[in-house]
């Protein structure tokens, strides 16, 4: 990665009660339990759990101002904050790149509208982002293909039955990923959503 760029994403972070509730379930799932040495199932720490709204990738620091303006415009045009709950889950089946995720319920139409407004504002500001169709989720682990079929089945069953507390999305947050130097995210800017 060139030192002049930053790896950025824009996300919604669930509040602490929602994280705590989901963490209670996740601590009992196969990817969170100890495994033999060398078998990394790559669980994501709860403090990093987020719902990506737009992935910007490598961005030149000179574009940060335009990105924060685009976020503020999207939030200003939003009629209200979506009320969400972490519920259900699934797996992106990409072999060694497979990820396990928690799903969302609630005001998904409001969240999709917010994502569309954000993408439109980013496009107008000439800020690049991942253009794939928006699929809101919260990544829990990236075990790839290193889970046994019975472990994966148990995880899908438990996630499928899960429904956490309802919460209003508090803000759009611009985050910098320090991976691969460290598994750490740094907040750059926050745009509070209307109550």
């Amino acid at each position: 990665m060139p030192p002049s760029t930053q790896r950025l994403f824009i996300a919604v972070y669930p509040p602490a009660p929602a994280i705590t509730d989901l963490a209670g379930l996740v601590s009992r799932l196969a990817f969170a339990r100890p495994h033999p040495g060398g078998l990394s199932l790559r669980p994501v720490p709860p403090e990093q759990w987020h719902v990506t709204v737009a992935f910007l990738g490598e961005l030149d620091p000179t574009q940060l101002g335009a990105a924060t303006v685009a976020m503020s415009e999207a939030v200003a045009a939003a009629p209200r904050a979506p009320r969400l709950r972490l519920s259900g889950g699934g797996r992106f089946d990409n072999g060694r790149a497979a990820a396990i995720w928690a799903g969302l319920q609630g005001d998904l139409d409001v969240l999709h509208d917010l994502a569309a407004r954000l993408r439109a504002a980013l496009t107008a500001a000439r800020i690049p982002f991942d253009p794939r169709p928006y699929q809101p989720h919260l990544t829990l682990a990236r075990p790839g293909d290193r889970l046994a079929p019975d472990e994966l089945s148990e995880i899908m069953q438990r996630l499928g039955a899960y429904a956490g507390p309802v919460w209003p999305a508090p803000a759009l947050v611009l985050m910098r990923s320090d991976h691969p130097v460290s598994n750490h995210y740094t907040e750059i800017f926050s745009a509070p959503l209307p109550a």
Side-chain angles (χ1 to χ4, degrees):
M1 175 176 78
S4 62
T5 64
Q6 300 182 49
R7 186 177 176 86
L8 303 174
F9 61 91
I10 298 169
V12 166
Y13 276 78
I19 295 294
T20 300
D21 193 79
L22 179 58
L25 167 69
V26 168
S27 67
R28 301 187 302 273
L29 298 180
F31 61 78
R33 295 195 290 258
H35 281 77
L39 182 64
S40 172
L41 301 180
R42 299 175 61 201
V44 177
E47 62 271 15
Q48 292 183 3
W49 288 351
H50 63 273
V51 178
T52 300
V53 181
F55 180 73
L56 307 184
E58 305 298 335
L59 197 68
D60 189 291
T62 62
Q63 295 177 292
L64 282 177
T68 60
V69 169
M71 290 171 62
S72 297
E73 289 174 355
V75 164
R80 62 183 170 86
R83 293 184 58 79
L84 305 167
R85 77 184 321 158
L86 296 167
S87 179
R91 179 175 183 256
F92 294 127
D93 192 6
N94 298 328
R96 294 199 63 78
I100 295 171
W101 47 269
L104 286 99
Q105 291 182 341
D107 294 334
L108 295 184
D109 55 339
V110 178
L111 182 59
H112 277 273
D113 180 67
L114 178 62
R117 291 176 190 274
L118 177 60
R119 287 177 173 216
L122 290 169
T123 299
R126 295 193 170 106
I127 303 294
F129 58 88
D130 185 342
R132 286 180 289 188
Y134 184 51
Q135 183 176 353
H137 64 280
L138 184 151
T139 300
L140 297 172
R142 297 178 179 86
D145 54 6
R146 297 179 291 277
L147 281 168
D150 60 328
E151 291 177 314
L152 187 57
S153 177
E154 176 198 13
I155 291 169
M156 293 302 103
Q157 184 178 26
R158 289 192 176 194
L159 279 176
Y162 176 75
V166 175
W167 45 276
L172 284 181
V173 185
L174 178 63
M175 302 295 292
R176 183 183 73 231
S177 171
D178 297 323
H179 181 79
V181 176
S182 68
N183 290 321
H184 183 262
Y185 299 148
T186 301
E187 180 178 322
I188 304 296
F189 177 75
S190 180
L193 283 156

